Amino acid sequence: MDYRIVEKGAFTVTGKIREVSTQDGSNLREIPAFWQECAQDGTAMKLEALNEGGEMYGICMDFTGEGRFNYMIGVEAAAGAEGTEGLASREIPALNWAVFTSTGPMPGAIQQVWQQIYSDWFPSSGYEHAAGPEMEVYPPGDTTSPEYRCEVWIPVVKKP
């Protein structure tokens, strides 16, 4: 599985947050439904107007021991964007990331990459998960295209 290691400084994202569950794979349904809701209710357009980096993020954070976590659909935005109604801002810490490319229509292509990271890559990589959020990085483009490319970013440290 191809990957690269990237060192990225801290940055702030602004977006909409929803709590999701991994029980019975419900996150595989809840997260795509959340993206669809944000496209329909105007949140995606609001975020695109705030966007400074051109990319949208899907961020898994605030993990609990009960298989629940918060998922944020967000963008890098200018200071003060957190005051926008219905949106929150979070700081993403400086970390080393394993970055994996996903090619194909969403959400199936990226869900397959997630599965491969945990079932194939982590057991044989020499890396372990670091404390921090996990990110999906979506550049502008047709997310239904077989050629659409996006990335999964996982915080990592070398195994001792």
Side-chain angles (χ1 to χ4, degrees):
M1 184 170 205
D2 290 338
Y3 70 96
R4 68 186 191 280
I5 301 297
V6 173
E7 186 176 332
K8 184 171 173 63
F11 63 102
T12 301
V13 291
T14 298
K16 190 171 183 178
I17 299 173
R18 163 99 22 100
E19 185 180 56
V20 297
S21 169
T22 59
Q23 187 172 10
D24 298 322
S26 64
N27 56 310
L28 300 176
R29 296 178 300 279
E30 291 176 31
I31 291 172
F34 184 37
W35 278 95
Q36 188 172 34
E37 175 189 314
C38 286
Q40 292 172 346
D41 72 8
T43 299
M45 283 188 2
K46 198 184 301 186
L47 291 172
E48 286 173 12
L50 297 172
N51 196 346
E52 291 194 327
E55 300 167 323
M56 301 252 328
Y57 293 89
I59 304 170
C60 304
M61 59 187 158
D62 308 327
F63 298 93
T64 70
E66 297 110 33
R68 300 192 72 74
F69 62 93
N70 286 329
Y71 186 86
M72 174 188 260
I73 296 174
V75 297
E76 285 188 62
E82 65 276 359
T84 305
E85 186 178 333
L87 301 180
S89 289
R90 295 285 182 89
E91 170 118 351
I92 305 300
L95 292 163
N96 288 324
W97 305 85
V99 179
F100 305 86
T101 300
S102 168
T103 304
M106 297 298 107
I110 203 162
Q111 289 176 351
Q112 183 177 19
V113 169
W114 278 108
Q115 198 273 330
Q116 290 175 322
I117 291 168
Y118 281 95
S119 66
D120 301 339
W121 186 78
F122 263 121
S124 63
S125 69
Y127 287 91
E128 58 190 22
H129 202 290
E134 300 172 336
M135 301 188 302
E136 301 161 343
V137 181
Y138 297 101
D142 178 3
T143 61
T144 64
S145 168
E147 288 84 38
Y148 182 72
R149 294 172 61 88
C150 61
E151 296 175 332
V152 174
W153 289 48
I154 306 287
V156 295
V157 294
K158 276 286 224 191
K159 287 182 182 174

